[in-house]
């Protein structure tokens, strides 16, 4: 009996230290358990974590400069609350998360594998295109914040605008909105004189954090996305 008990204990010990792998596309969401009795490590395969955006947390966060991994240490009380937020990578990808504190695990390792990323040649083309696409970010000096803004604009363009024609909508009327934390994105159409693409600076206000203007006009109108801090 003791021998069998020892084998079971060894198996449980081995399983508790194995990594939990999540395969997710950028802008997707993962749900995981974080240990309250030991460290929790979060790692993004072939990438580095640059920032975590969430409300007040029960965990103390430590970013490892050498590996780009994130380590969590529970510092909350007995009342454990599920936390939500976003993980931002140095590559500009954003992953939503829902984290549940638990004392069942002595330690936890979360490994994120991003799916659907472009190849190196596609990434080079995308990078070259984005530099002339009219996407402008307010000067904050924070690359991770700029990556987060880029992800929000990408999401509203992909999920809310898609292949819709700007010419079918009234100029200035809101076609779609998207909220992420304290940021709010708005998509609308605008007209252009002689088909000339508007300058993104035209749409800036004191609350504006980023502006994106489409390169292609339809019926003399362009898509515009503004992101504002609430």
């Amino acid at each position: 009996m003791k021998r069998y008990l020892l084998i079971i204990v060894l198996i449980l010990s081995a399983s508790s230290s194995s990594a939990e792998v999540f395969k997710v596309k950028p802008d997707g969401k993962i749900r995981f358990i974080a240990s309250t009795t030991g460290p929790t490590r979060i790692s993004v395969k072939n990438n580095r974590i640059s920032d975590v955006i969430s409300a007040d947390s029960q965990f103390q966060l430590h970013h490892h400069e050498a590996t780009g991994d994130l380590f969590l240490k529970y510092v909350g009380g007995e009342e454990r609350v599920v936390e939500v937020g976003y993980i931002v990578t140095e590559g500009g990808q954003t992953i939503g998360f829902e984290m549940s504190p638990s004392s069942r695990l002595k330690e936890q390792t979360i490994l994120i594998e991003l799916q659907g990323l472009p190849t190196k040649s596609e990434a080079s083309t995308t990078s070259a295109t984005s530099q002339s696409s009219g996407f402008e970010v307010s000067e904050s000096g924070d690359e991770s914040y700029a990556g987060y803004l880029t992800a929000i604009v990408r999401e509203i363009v992909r999920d809310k605008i898609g292949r819709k024609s700007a010419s079918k909508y009234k100029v200035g009327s809101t076609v779609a909105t998207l909220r992420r934390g304290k940021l709010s994105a708005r998509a609308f159409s605008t007209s252009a004189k002689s088909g000339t693409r508007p300058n993104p600076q035209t749409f800036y206000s004191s609350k504006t954090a980023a502006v994106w203007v489409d390169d292609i006009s339809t019926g003399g109108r362009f898509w515009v996305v503004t992101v504002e801090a609430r």
Side-chain angles (χ1 to χ4, degrees):
M1 179 63 72
K2 290 183 178 180
R3 183 180 180 183
Y4 290 131
L5 181 60
L6 177 61
I7 293 174
I8 292 173
V9 171
L10 289 175
I11 292 175
L12 289 175
S13 298
S15 63
S16 66
S17 60
S18 60
E20 190 172 358
V21 181
F22 293 90
K23 296 183 178 181
V24 61
K25 292 182 179 180
D27 305 319
K29 186 176 183 179
I30 63 174
R31 294 177 175 86
F32 62 90
I33 295 174
S35 174
T36 60
T37 58
T40 295
R41 178 173 72 93
I42 303 176
S43 177
V44 180
K45 187 176 180 181
N46 298 325
N47 212 322
R48 295 168 55 88
I49 296 174
S50 62
D51 198 7
V52 174
I53 300 173
S54 64
D56 294 337
S57 178
Q58 308 165 91
F59 289 84
Q60 185 180 69
L61 279 61
H62 173 71
H63 183 259
H64 197 281
E65 291 292 339
T67 64
D69 293 348
L70 186 71
F71 292 87
L72 310 179
K73 178 184 178 182
Y74 187 73
V75 293
E78 295 183 0
E79 184 178 355
R80 296 159 186 164
V81 181
V82 176
E83 299 184 13
V84 295
Y86 293 92
I87 296 170
V88 183
T89 71
E90 289 188 356
Q93 296 82 27
T94 303
I95 307 103
F97 70 84
E98 182 177 296
M99 179 173 62
S100 302
S102 175
S103 59
R104 290 184 297 168
L105 300 174
K106 292 184 178 180
E107 59 184 31
Q108 172 70 303
T109 299
I110 303 299
L111 178 60
I112 301 172
E113 293 185 9
L114 290 171
Q115 305 292 296
L117 295 180
T119 61
K120 289 184 177 180
S121 59
E122 291 173 337
S124 298
T125 302
T126 302
S127 176
T129 302
S130 64
Q131 290 177 5
S132 60
S133 65
F135 178 74
E136 296 191 9
V137 177
S138 60
E139 297 181 1
S140 65
D142 189 341
E143 293 183 1
S144 63
Y145 183 64
Y148 186 50
L149 292 171
T150 303
I152 293 174
V153 172
R154 186 191 303 122
E155 184 177 354
I156 194 172
V157 170
R158 182 195 64 212
D159 298 342
K160 302 294 182 70
I161 295 178
R163 296 184 179 181
K164 293 177 181 178
S165 173
S167 62
K168 295 182 178 180
Y169 296 90
K170 184 179 179 180
V171 172
S173 62
T174 301
V175 177
T177 59
L178 179 69
R179 291 186 178 182
R180 290 291 181 266
K182 295 182 178 180
L183 296 174
S184 178
R186 170 177 174 256
F188 57 93
S189 69
T190 187
S191 59
K193 296 180 179 179
S194 303
T196 303
R197 181 175 161 277
N199 187 331
Q201 293 290 336
T202 306
F203 305 98
Y204 265 87
S205 69
S206 58
K207 295 182 179 180
T208 305
V211 174
W212 173 84
V213 179
D214 200 355
D215 280 335
I216 302 174
S217 67
T218 54
R221 296 182 183 177
F222 291 83
W223 280 118
V224 179
V225 174
T226 59
V227 182
E228 294 186 351
R230 292 184 293 161

